[in-house]
Amino acid sequence: MTLKLLISLALLALAGIGLYHTHKSLPPGISYRGPIAPLIDPVLLSDITQHHADGSETRHHEIFDEVFRLVGQAERFVLLDMFLFNSTKPEGVAHRPLAEQLTDTLLARKKARPDLKIIVISDPLNTMYGGTASPWFEALRKAGITVVETSLTPLRDSNPAWSAIWRACCQWLGNNPRGGWLDNALGNHPVTLRSYLALPNFKANHRKLLVVDDGPELRAVVTSANPHDGSSRHSNLGLSFAGPAVMDVLKSERAVLAMSGADTSIIDARIDHHGKKKPANGNPGDLVAVLTESAIRDAALTMIQSAGTGDRLDLAVFYLSHRKVVEALLAAKARGAELRVLLDANNEAFGHDKSGIPNRQVAMELHKAGVPVRWCYTRGEQCHSKLLTLTPEKGNTRILLGSANFTRRNLDDLNLETNVWISVAEASPVAQKAARFFDLQWQLGPDNDPVMSLPYEAWADESRLRYWRYRIMEASGLSTF
């Protein structure tokens, strides 16, 4: 009887821990919704890998070229927040050494401008949660650059079935980058058991952005691209922009530093200095808002729910599984909106085969409702952009892009994410380039060269068993998406 009572009390305690940490208050400044502001000097940046009929490959990649250019001219301030910042990659395919190139660019600029204030924020996955050391982070710190590995513990738990146990038994153990003895699934250096105990919490600082002084003003880049060698062939999008909205990027990043127990004074000084300046004039009617976490979800739903007859919605995303978003897309189709949905087939990641969950299951729902669905044609890389475009019959084009996949983990205040919402004229360079980006990837193979997409039937999976597996994984958090 005593044993049964103790087991019951333990299970009750774990249930209480899980319930609390999935509903607790968010840290201050998380789930940030910046005000709608003038969009100043926007530039849309794209990365596209094209596959040709003869088996060759062409890469048109702009995002990190622009990041390196901006860092290379900085005089006073650089803030970088990037999810994956490491050199892991599958064998047998040439990848761009982005982690090394970014590190070298930061080090060179710090050497040339010793007074330059540089802050690098990243996710603890890059050190397997403290179980190994990052040579890139160590080199940056040695040069006097501030490197902050985000503290994820204050965030809500996305996988309470495991996180409740981890919080009760394991979070107090710390870690040791020199005590590893297990093979590292994400690198070459052995890691501790404690690294693998932290991994199933399945939450992250998934943001990808840069803020840098650009002449007398500040400029931001918000993107879906990582400085990660294995990700260097992915398709991605980013927006570079100036103006008052850059202050909102800084304010949202200040919250991450504060949550992680890091010094915020450098960002405070930038906000205080630039926040008092009168914004430059942009094109009348061009607007932007910086959004993080669930504010991204709300913006996406507003865009989709506003679409009707005569309006077009284009969605290109790596993961699509969020039930409210899926239901909103189906409702928009029923209202007469024109939809095109371009998805990654979720068939492989960094040399490892995947099950196709969740995209193939969601694609089945959309396809049966008459929504055109195509798959990006990939050969080892990922269709990694997160782009939603609303082109209404009348009025400005609205675009949502950034780091967030359309999943529960990315949109429901679990991961850290940053996106931008913009409203621009359909004839503007940004809207035109976004349309070309989508249209090119929508180009159907195999008769075209390059081959960019495949029809729904190429990766269709209409198994009801796997469909309900996706639904359970999405609802419970027992998944990596």
Side-chain angles (χ1 to χ4, degrees), residues 349-371:
F350 310 119
H352 300 285
D353 291 338
K354 295 177 64 178
S355 66
I357 296 174
N359 283 4
R360 295 185 215 175
Q361 288 63 45
V362 171
M364 176 184 70
E365 281 188 85
L366 297 175
H367 175 75
K368 288 186 174 181
V371 176

Side-chain angles (χ1 to χ4, degrees), residues 100-160:
E100 180 180 14
Q101 290 178 350
L102 179 55
T103 302
D104 288 347
T105 301
L106 291 166
L107 292 175
R109 197 58 187 165
K110 181 65 173 177
K111 183 177 180 180
R113 297 289 187 273
D115 293 334
L116 176 64
K117 305 297 184 184
I118 303 178
I119 303 172
V120 174
I121 306 172
S122 194
D123 188 81
L125 179 63
N126 294 288
T127 59
M128 277 296 282
Y129 309 98
T132 186
S134 163
W136 316 120
F137 293 173
E138 290 184 338
L140 295 173
R141 288 182 175 121
K142 186 176 179 180
I145 293 173
T146 299
V147 179
V148 177
E149 293 183 52
T150 308
S151 174
L152 303 176
T153 305
L155 296 175
R156 292 174 180 167
D157 290 342
S158 69
N159 181 19

Side-chain angles (χ1 to χ4, degrees), residues 374-416:
R374 292 182 184 173
W375 309 104
C376 292
Y377 180 60
T378 57
R379 289 182 178 174
E381 82 282 5
Q382 295 172 350
C383 189
H384 197 252
S385 55
K386 300 93 168 61
L387 171 68
L388 175 64
T389 303
L390 168 61
T391 308
E393 188 173 28
K394 296 180 180 179
N396 274 7
T397 296
R398 269 90 84 186
I399 300 172
L400 183 68
L401 63 88
S403 71
N405 289 299
F406 285 13
T407 75
R408 165 184 170 269
R409 180 166 288 119
N410 296 117
L411 297 181
D412 285 358
D413 291 328
L414 299 168
N415 275 0
L416 296 176

Side-chain angles (χ1 to χ4, degrees), residues 20 22 26 69 84 108 134 142 217 224 243 254 268 307 319 359 362 442 449:
Y20 170 75
T22 52
L26 293 169
R69 185 192 71 80
L84 291 180
S134 163
K142 186 176 179 180
E217 305 300 330
S224 60
R254 187 195 183 283
D268 292 337
Y319 279 138
N359 283 4
V362 171
W442 189 253
D449 188 15

